[in-house]
Amino acid sequence: MTEHPRPPVPTEERQLPEVDAGRLWAGGLATALVAALIVIVAAFVIQAFVTIPVVPPLGATHLGDMVTLAYALLAALAAIAATGLLHVLLVATPRPLLFFSWIVALTTVVAVVTPFLAAASRNSQLITAAINLVVGIAILSLLNGVGLSAVRRP
């Protein structure tokens, strides 16, 4: 006896995964701290070992410089914005981590290319692009893990 395929379950009967918002946003805040620290540590390492300024207007060559702090805060805000995006995608889209990965990866490409549009030395452009790449990779990898851990399947 052959079985007939089951009809699709109506949308209102499907149970969507539940997002643990507290866990998601705690992970997002931790990611923001990591992103800011990447910028601060990079500025410190650059100051200690080379004399290449980071591309203005975000650049500075001294740890604790207000511009370095602004750059670090911008990295943290990028992580917070990515957390908000992830939350929306987890609640509203199929395959949310796939969409999230593409969006963050493409945004990271923009962040890596942007220093090359500034009037600065090639070394400054390269070092700023490298910092932006590391921040983007950190946000992508950390928030993907956070997203996985924040979802509870029904």
Side-chain angles (χ1 to χ4, degrees):
M1 187 177 210
T2 54
E3 286 191 33
H4 297 285
R6 295 183 359 197
V9 177
T11 305
E12 49 276 352
E13 291 180 26
R14 284 188 210 150
Q15 292 186 327
L16 296 173
E18 204 175 298
V19 176
D20 182 344
R23 186 177 191 92
L24 176 67
W25 284 96
L29 290 173
T31 301
L33 179 60
V34 169
L37 286 172
I38 288 169
V39 171
I40 292 169
V41 169
F44 182 71
V45 169
I46 291 165
Q47 175 67 23
F49 295 107
V50 293
T51 57
I52 301 171
V54 179
V55 172
L58 299 177
T61 58
H62 304 292
L63 181 65
D65 188 318
M66 289 305 292
V67 181
T68 300
L69 181 59
Y71 189 10
L73 289 174
L74 186 62
L77 285 174
I80 296 297
T83 304
L85 171 67
L86 180 58
H87 197 165
V88 169
L89 293 173
L90 287 171
V91 171
T93 64
R95 310 271 318 260
L97 294 178
L98 182 63
F99 285 108
F100 178 76
S101 295
W102 270 98
I103 293 167
V104 173
L106 291 170
T107 304
T108 300
V109 169
V110 170
V112 168
V113 172
T114 299
F116 296 99
L117 302 175
S121 72
R122 181 62 71 188
N123 286 339
S124 292
Q125 293 169 333
L126 287 169
I127 200 75
T128 305
I131 294 168
N132 292 348
L133 178 62
V134 173
V135 168
I137 290 170
I139 291 171
L140 178 62
S141 62
L142 292 171
L143 286 180
N144 261 317
V146 168
L148 281 172
S149 71
V151 172
R152 290 179 286 211
R153 300 282 173 201

